[in-house]
Amino acid sequence: MSEPIRVLHFADAHIGLENYGAIDSETGLSSRALDFLARLDDIIEYARESDVDLVIFAGDAFRSRSPNPTFQREFAGRIRQLSQLAPTVLLAGNHDLPLNAAKASTVDIFQTLDVPGVWVAADYEARRIETTRGAVVVAAAPFPIRSRLLADADLRGKTIAERDDALKGALHKRLRALRCRADELAADSTPRLLTGHFSVAGAIWGSERRVMLGRDVVVELEALADSRWDYVALGHIHRHQNLTADREDAPPVVYSGSPERIDFGEEKEVKGFCWVELARGGTTWRFVELAARKLLTLTVDCRAIENPTGAALAEMKRHDLKDAVVRLVIKLSSESETLLNDGTIVNELKRAGVFHIAGISKDIDRRARSRLGVSPEGMTPMQLLARYFEGRGVEAERREELLQLAREIVEGE
C-alpha cells in the first residue's frame, strides 16, 4: 500500500483586514494586517517542516475583491513559497470572485503568469495531480456566483426563494458532475479530494456573516458526504468544524476555519489549519492550532461599587493582557459613572502591554424616568418632585422622607 499523501488544508486568509490595530512604523502596514500575514508564515513553516505533498487553499485570499498592491504582493510571495514546496490549489471564494464574469478574480494573476505548481481553481473542474507520494484527484467547487451558474436559466417572474432554489439545484448538479469526473480520473487506489467554498447545512456560523460579500446559498450535507471522496476541504465559514464527525459512512467534511481571529465574535474560537494524511478509504487528519492574536473582553459590574476605577483595575490584574486586543465593558449606575477615571484605566492597560485597546464601553444603568403626563404644567411642585424622585429610582421609604422635608420647607416659607 502506498504512503498517504500529506495535504495541508487552510482557508479564509482575509489579507487586508485591519481592525484593532495601528500602523507599523517599519512596514507601513497595519499591525493587524501583519497578524494575518504572520499566520500564513506559520503555515508555510509547518508545511516545510512536515514535508507537505499538496496544499489546498479553500478560498478568500483577501478582505475585498479589490485588494491594494501591497497586500497582493505579500500574499503572492507566500503562495510562491508554498508552491515551491508542493502543488498548490487556490480555490476562488466569494471575496476573490468579481460579480462581473468578464472581470478578473483576485487570484487570476497566478494563472496569467503561469506560476509553476499553482492551480487557480475558479471553475467547477477536477484534475489529477501528481505529488511526491503519488497521484491524487482534486475536484474544485468555487463560490457559486448566480450570474454564472444560472446564465441559461429563465428566472423572469421568480421570487427570491425560487431563485435561491434554482441556484442550489444548479450547484448540486455541478457537484454530481464532479463526482463522476473524479471516477473517470482516478484509478481504484487513487485518493480523491473535493474542495469547496460555500455554506453547508448544519454548519455553525461565526463572524464571517459580518464580512460576507454577496448573498449565500446553503448546500445540503449529503451532496458532499459521499464515499467517493476521501476528504472534503471547505472554506467560507470561519469556525473550524467537522460536519461528519459522528459518521462512519462518510468522508471527513471539514471547515479548516480561518487562521486568524477576525473580530470579537471569534474571541473564544481556536484558529488554525488541517493536516491531512490522504489515502483511498483510509484518510486521517488533525487540526493544528495557530497562535492567533488573543481578543479579550473584560466585564466589570460597578453599579453598586463606590470605587469603580479600583474595581476595573482589580479585574484587569486577574488576566494576562500582554499582546492582547482588549475591550473593557464597565457596568455603572448614574452615580458611579462620575467616579470612574478613564485615564487611569487606559494607562494601566498600556502598562500591562496590551496590543490594542479596542474600547472602554460604559454600560450605564439609567432607570427610565416616569412620564410626567400629558400636561406637567398642571402638576403641583410636590407632584413634580415626587415624579422626579421616582424617575431617579429613589426607594419609596426614602422618597417619602425627602418629600416630607420638602413640604416642611415649602410650608415654612
Side-chain angles (χ1 to χ4, degrees), residues 58-116:
D60 278 0
F62 300 99
R63 168 64 182 85
S64 74
R65 294 185 175 112
S66 302
N68 71 45
T70 301
F71 292 138
Q72 289 178 312
R73 179 195 67 192
E74 297 299 321
F75 182 74
R78 287 159 175 83
I79 293 301
R80 179 173 177 271
Q81 292 181 60
L82 284 172
S83 66
Q84 290 174 338
L85 297 174
T88 299
V89 179
L90 296 184
L91 184 68
N94 55 309
H95 285 253
D96 304 315
L97 290 168
L99 294 177
N100 187 334
K103 293 184 177 181
S105 75
T106 61
V107 291
D108 275 353
I109 188 65
F110 294 96
Q111 181 171 287
T112 301
L113 296 176
D114 196 19
V115 178

Side-chain angles (χ1 to χ4, degrees), residues 91-257:
L91 184 68
N94 55 309
H95 285 253
D96 304 315
L97 290 168
L99 294 177
N100 187 334
K103 293 184 177 181
S105 75
T106 61
V107 291
D108 275 353
I109 188 65
F110 294 96
Q111 181 171 287
T112 301
L113 296 176
D114 196 19
V115 178
V118 176
W119 170 24
V120 177
D123 204 352
Y124 298 84
E125 181 184 358
R127 294 186 181 183
R128 185 182 178 92
I129 298 176
E130 297 295 333
T131 76
T132 54
R133 288 181 174 82
V136 56
V137 171
V138 177
F143 183 78
I145 297 294
R146 297 169 187 271
S147 60
R148 301 182 184 187
L149 288 181
L150 301 176
D152 299 326
D154 184 5
L155 300 177
R156 289 174 296 180
K158 301 292 185 181
T159 65
I160 292 178
E162 290 171 335
R163 291 169 182 262
D164 287 346
D165 287 341
L167 178 60
K168 182 186 294 188
L171 179 55
H172 283 192
K173 181 179 179 180
R174 295 294 184 98
L175 292 172
R176 289 193 296 271
L178 286 175
R179 292 197 295 267
C180 294
R181 181 58 178 156
D183 285 340
E184 296 173 358
L185 293 173
D188 291 342
S189 61
T190 304
R192 309 166 187 188
L193 181 151
L194 170 67
T195 180
H197 191 96
F198 36 65
S199 300
V200 179
I204 301 173
W205 281 87
S207 293
E208 60 274 7
R209 283 192 180 275
R210 288 190 281 273
V211 297
M212 184 181 293
L213 296 178
R215 281 176 51 209
D216 207 25
V217 60
V218 178
V219 176
E220 297 302 324
L221 178 58
E222 293 309 311
L224 308 173
D226 190 296
S227 60
R228 279 176 284 186
W229 303 119
D230 295 297
Y231 183 83
V232 179
L234 297 176
H236 190 48
I237 292 181
H238 296 172
R239 183 191 293 264
H240 165 61
Q241 53 199 297
N242 177 13
L243 301 182
T244 54
D246 299 324
R247 294 179 56 172
E248 297 182 357
D249 64 332
V253 178
V254 182
Y255 282 103
S256 65

